[in-house]
Amino acid sequence: VTGVQTCALPIYLYSELLHEAVKKLQGSLISDNDIDPEVTLPISNFIPEKYCPDLHERMNLYQRLATSATEQNIEDIFDEIEDMYGELPNEVLALKISSLLKLQLKSLHALSLKAEYLSDKKSYLVNITLIGNFIKNPQKFIDEMKNNTNFKITPQNKVIQNIGITSNNQHESILYACQKAINNIKTLLD
């Protein structure tokens, strides 16, 4: 006898588990909580050790941000950070932006967002990768691509948008560009 153990499942339970696994792979059982979008911004976003020296407190703050379910909750956490440690440095402001964007991406069922400066430094290229099964009407995306040269979608469900910089404040311009890209997609998904 080898060390392998087998487990007898009733056929109805096996069938139900298999059915759920297939639906999850197809995207029909995915909830906002199942998605942890990756956000990549052209600025560093973290809590510096010099700003918050206690490692356990930093880890606690990251955990609270990761489990935040509302924008208000995220705002409250950053208000608390500012009350405890003083004015938010740029890295923490960028972390706030990243946290707010992640929450918005979850509602889109997006896997990732990557924003980067274009070489002209007058606009951002914002790439958002969607879970394919949530695009109910691909024709809307195709029509948008035909009508807007700053909008493209790849066969891998990556939506690429060129969004102009509207502010000299780096944090405001990144947040604006990413939110505009998200809102453009929301409009097409409705």
Side-chain angles (χ1 to χ4, degrees):
V1 175
T2 65
V4 176
Q5 292 183 337
T6 60
C7 175
L9 283 177
I11 191 70
Y12 75 90
L13 181 57
Y14 173 78
S15 176
E16 187 176 317
L17 289 171
L18 184 61
H19 184 67
E20 284 182 21
V22 168
K23 279 190 165 192
K24 194 164 191 170
L25 285 173
Q26 292 173 337
S28 57
L29 282 183
I30 295 175
S31 74
D32 291 355
N33 293 333
D34 293 333
I35 301 169
D36 185 23
E38 179 183 341
V39 175
T40 306
L41 301 174
I43 53 177
S44 298
N45 54 79
F46 64 98
I47 302 170
E49 185 177 352
K50 287 182 178 181
Y51 182 68
C52 175
D54 184 348
L55 174 64
H56 295 291
E57 182 61 27
R58 285 196 312 274
M59 292 299 112
N60 178 43
L61 291 168
Y62 285 129
Q63 180 63 35
R64 288 175 55 202
L65 287 169
T67 58
S68 292
T70 66
E71 286 187 21
Q72 186 58 53
N73 188 246
I74 291 170
E75 294 288 348
D76 291 345
I77 291 170
F78 281 97
D79 288 345
E80 180 183 322
I81 293 170
E82 190 168 18
D83 289 344
M84 291 189 320
Y85 300 104
E87 185 178 342
L88 302 176
N90 287 335
E91 298 88 354
V92 179
L93 288 171
L95 180 63
K96 181 179 180 180
I97 291 169
S98 178
S99 300
L100 291 168
L101 291 172
K102 271 188 161 206
L103 197 58
Q104 293 175 23
L105 291 168
K106 283 183 177 191
S107 71
L108 273 185
H109 291 91
L111 298 172
S112 67
L113 176 147
K114 180 179 181 183
E116 56 190 314
Y117 289 116
L118 287 177
S119 58
D120 66 3
K121 298 286 186 190
K122 295 179 182 176
S123 56
Y124 290 102
L125 194 63
V126 181
N127 299 310
I128 298 175
T129 304
L130 302 173
I131 295 173
N133 296 344
F134 286 94
I135 299 177
K136 303 295 185 217
N137 188 349
Q139 190 60 45
K140 285 184 176 180
F141 284 81
I142 293 167
D143 292 344
E144 180 67 20
M145 200 166 50
K146 287 178 184 174
N147 298 326
N148 182 349
T149 59
N150 292 319
F151 185 95
K152 295 184 179 21
I153 185 165
T154 69
Q156 297 78 24
N157 296 315
K158 183 182 286 188
V159 180
I160 304 166
Q161 299 176 69
N162 182 339
I163 311 250
I165 294 175
T166 59
S167 169
N168 289 332
N169 180 305
Q170 186 179 36
H171 295 94
E172 286 177 10
S173 66
I174 290 172
L175 182 59
Y176 171 80
C178 293
Q179 285 181 326
K180 181 168 180 163
I182 290 169
N183 289 335
N184 290 343
I185 292 172
K186 280 183 181 177
T187 301
L188 295 172
L189 289 174
D190 290 337

